[in-house]
Amino acid sequence: MEKAIGDRKYEEAVEISKAIEDEGYFINLVLDDKVVYISDEYEVNLKDIIVYDVDEIVIDEPLETYIIRSNLGEFNSIKLGDESSISSIRIDPIISIEEQNNLFKEDRQFTMKLILMVLLAIIGSVVLTTSLATYITVGSIIKPLELLQTGTNKIMAGDLNFSLNYDKDDAFGEVFSDFENMRKKLLDLRDHQVKYNENRKELIAGITHDLNTPLTSIRGYTSGLLDGIAKTEEKQVYYLEKINSISTEMSGLVNELLDYSMLDIDSVNFNFVKTDLVEYFKDCILELEKEYDEKGMKIEFYAEIPDKVAYSYIDLIHFRRVVLNIFNNSLKYKEKDLGHLLITLYEKNNFYSISFKDDGIGITRDEVKKIFEVFYRLDKSRNKEIGGYGLGLAIVKNIVSAHSGYIEINKDYNEGLELILTLPKV
Ligand code: ADP
């Protein structure tokens, strides 16, 4: 139970003041308008004193302590003596009312300032967040869109030699990577188109050249006959034989051209048969070695196949053409009186590779890419007066790719030519 303080003696009032002081407050105790107690540090700490209003001093009876309730909260004081002996106690504000008001004013101003600052901080952060969001929006949406638009405009203007660098890993990353793929595909397509057109032009130039030369010869021989230059029967027969061999040669060229075009436009029907390549080449050598031996070419075959069998799908007719074209080239471009052609069959993952290594005139590194092109004949071959139209290897390449295989040249082999033909395993 709590009750208000009654009258107390002067000493007891001082005692209470000291007790309050012990709680950490500076006391200026005025009793009946007389200062009866003042804290030692009162003057010194005047500026630092916390102003408080004592609302109520009550006695907590069971504990017999003062409870001082003020604007600073509630705190306890010392044990009481006889409560009836107290007269009056006043705990004054330790600074004047005016000062106190000033302080409150300052306090209010400070609070106002604080509120203003908080408000400003809130407004500032809202503005900052908004601008940041705008910046991020501009950066993350508008900029990539602008970049894409620039790319699209370039493509529309026919410029494909650029690259849109976008290294961010966001939703646009995928769009940019698709855009890049599209640009590269278009570039490949255009390069392919350009190359295709160039090839066509070269092809027409090649056909014109290779048909024109024999035609000129035929015309020369026929004019000779018509003009009566070939006076003797012997000479006439010679002229006629020439015309005959040239036309046979021309017919060979036309046939090869026809074969090439048919393969080129995918108009050839293939009849693939599961064949053991070990057996196939063994038979091939058995059948052809004598003939080639007589022409000055020794052919050998080795199978480096642990299983002894190497199955692949081949079209027997067209594959024979491949083999013969390669054999004939090794023969045509041999250097020594007795040339050598070494055929080795080996496994390469899911494929079988057949290496054709000869010791002929070989080709230079620059010529590597060209020899599979139509009508391509290396200068040294042209000079050598060897028959051929530069169609053989182009036909070989087309046939091999129809077998889902590929043919390449070993660039590092320089004692002749090494062709490596690769076919899928069955
Ligand atoms: P060609 O009818 O002229 O022989 P190919 O397409 O078969 O046409 O070959 C193209 C060119 O590649 C040949 O003209 C020749 O210069 C070169 N070539 C092909 N095979 C060989 C080889 N075994 N050794 C050296 N050069 C070769």
Side-chain angles (χ1 to χ4, degrees):
M1 186 200 133
E2 293 173 350
K3 44 183 172 168
I5 297 170
D7 291 341
R8 290 203 66 161
K9 280 193 275 193
Y10 163 81
E11 291 85 8
E12 281 173 325
V14 172
E15 202 184 325
I16 294 164
S17 296
K18 281 182 181 167
I20 296 168
E21 194 184 43
D22 285 346
E23 297 290 335
Y25 290 89
F26 300 106
I27 303 294
N28 181 16
L29 180 64
V30 181
L31 212 59
D32 299 331
D33 289 333
K34 261 176 34 200
V35 175
V36 291
Y37 182 78
I38 187 160
S39 298
D40 283 345
E41 301 93 335
Y42 186 87
E43 295 292 336
V44 184
N45 292 290
L46 192 63
K47 280 192 210 104
D48 303 317
I49 281 166
I50 303 163
V51 178
Y52 70 95
D53 295 326
V54 175
D55 297 329
E56 199 181 6
I57 301 178
V58 291
I59 304 158
D60 184 1
E61 203 175 37
L63 294 171
E64 293 188 315
T65 53
Y66 280 111
I67 297 173
I68 297 175
R69 295 206 176 115
S70 76
N71 61 328
L72 294 174
E74 196 176 275
F75 60 91
N76 297 327
S77 186
I78 58 155
K79 251 185 167 184
L80 283 173
D82 177 12
E83 59 161 293
S84 58
S85 59
I86 202 164
S87 56
S88 74
I89 182 167
R90 218 174 90 205
I91 300 172
D92 275 1
I94 40 191
I95 51 170
S96 70
I97 299 293
E98 200 184 330
E99 273 176 304
Q100 197 183 15
N101 282 343
N102 278 346
L103 250 167
F104 277 136
K105 215 164 128 193
E106 267 175 38
D107 218 22
R108 271 202 302 277
Q109 276 173 354
F110 176 74
T111 316
M112 284 302 286
K113 268 188 201 162
L114 201 73
I115 292 171
L116 206 71
M117 273 165 68
V118 169
L119 265 174
L120 276 175
I122 292 170
I123 294 170
S125 56
V126 167
V127 170
L128 204 77
T129 317
T130 319
S131 13
L132 203 73
T134 316
Y135 175 77
I136 290 168
T137 312
V138 168
S140 64
I141 296 173
I142 298 173
K143 284 233 173 96
L145 283 178
E146 277 176 0
L147 203 62
L148 279 173
Q149 198 180 18
T150 315
T152 317
N153 287 342
K154 276 189 177 178
I155 289 179
M156 282 198 310
D159 178 7
L160 292 165
N161 291 308
F162 66 93
S163 164
L164 288 185
N165 293 319
Y166 190 82
D167 42 23
K168 285 193 193 134
D169 192 18
D170 55 15
F172 274 100
E174 216 169 300
V175 180
F176 271 87
S177 120
D178 287 348
F179 188 93
E180 265 303 279
N181 286 341
M182 178 197 74
R183 183 191 65 79
K184 281 181 193 156
K185 272 196 187 130
L186 283 173
L187 193 67
D188 281 356
L189 215 67
R190 197 178 65 182
D191 288 352
H192 187 78
Q193 189 70 40
V194 169
K195 215 166 163 250
Y196 180 81
N197 287 340
E198 275 170 15
N199 278 353
R200 291 285 119 177
K201 277 185 205 158
E202 276 173 27
L203 186 69
I204 291 167
I207 296 171
T208 318
H209 173 268
D210 283 348
L211 284 178
N212 201 33
T213 317
L215 273 176
T216 313
S217 307
I218 291 176
R219 238 190 25 231
Y221 289 121
T222 33
S223 311
L225 283 171
L226 290 170
D227 295 348
I229 295 170
K231 289 201 170 73
T232 60
E233 198 183 324
E234 202 185 6
K235 225 170 188 167
Q236 286 168 0
V237 171
Y238 172 77
Y239 273 35
L240 284 171
E241 272 173 0
K242 274 283 178 194
I243 292 170
N244 186 42
S245 78
I246 295 168
S247 351
T248 314
E249 209 180 288
M250 276 181 75
S251 148
L253 165 63
V254 171
N255 282 337
E256 269 202 51
L257 256 176
L258 197 68
D259 288 347
Y260 171 76
S261 335
M262 294 289 274
L263 285 162
D264 204 33
I265 56 169
D266 287 331
S267 287
V268 176
N269 288 325
F270 285 88
N271 178 26
F272 295 109
V273 182
K274 188 176 169 182
T275 311
D276 173 18
L277 294 172
V278 180
E279 204 58 38
Y280 179 88
F281 278 102
K282 273 185 185 163
D283 289 350
C284 223
I285 308 300
L286 210 65
E287 180 201 334
L288 299 166
E289 74 183 334
K290 195 164 174 278
E291 179 190 329
Y292 278 88
D293 217 52
E294 282 166 6
K295 289 176 182 167
M297 169 71 81
K298 187 141 190 60
I299 305 175
E300 282 171 89
F301 169 69
Y302 293 99
E304 293 170 0
I305 303 287
D307 296 345
K308 308 280 181 232
V309 283
Y311 284 107
S312 187
Y313 278 114
I314 57 172
D315 176 306
L316 294 169
I317 296 170
H318 286 97
F319 199 72
R320 186 170 173 88
R321 180 106 187 246
V322 168
V323 172
L324 288 182
N325 274 357
I326 295 173
F327 283 15
N328 286 337
N329 276 349
S330 291
L331 184 69
K332 277 198 288 185
Y333 304 111
K334 73 184 170 88
E335 207 166 30
K336 302 164 199 156
D337 288 343
L338 180 66
H340 290 88
L341 175 65
L342 178 68
I343 307 165
T344 318
L345 172 68
Y346 55 92
E347 275 182 82
K348 207 166 89 179
N349 302 323
N350 290 325
F351 294 88
Y352 289 117
S353 284
I354 309 130
S355 148
F356 299 87
K357 214 184 249 183
D358 68 29
D359 55 356
I361 59 172
I363 58 167
T364 63
R365 274 179 176 262
D366 296 343
E367 295 162 342
V368 166
K369 275 190 197 150
K370 297 179 183 166
I371 71 164
F372 292 108
E373 287 172 16
V374 205
F375 280 109
Y376 186 80
R377 303 204 68 208
L378 304 186
D379 284 344
K380 50 189 171 189
S381 330
R382 284 197 192 278
N383 296 342
K384 255 190 129 203
E385 287 297 315
I386 304 168
Y389 313 105
L391 279 167
L393 287 181
I395 290 173
V396 164
K397 191 181 164 195
N398 279 350
I399 295 176
V400 173
S401 67
H403 282 73
S404 307
Y406 56 93
I407 185 158
E408 56 197 335
I409 291 163
N410 179 5
K411 286 186 246 143
D412 301 322
Y413 182 71
N414 46 26
E415 287 161 38
L417 182 77
E418 182 182 7
L419 288 172
I420 303 164
L421 192 162
T422 303
L423 292 174
K425 275 184 186 176
V426 177

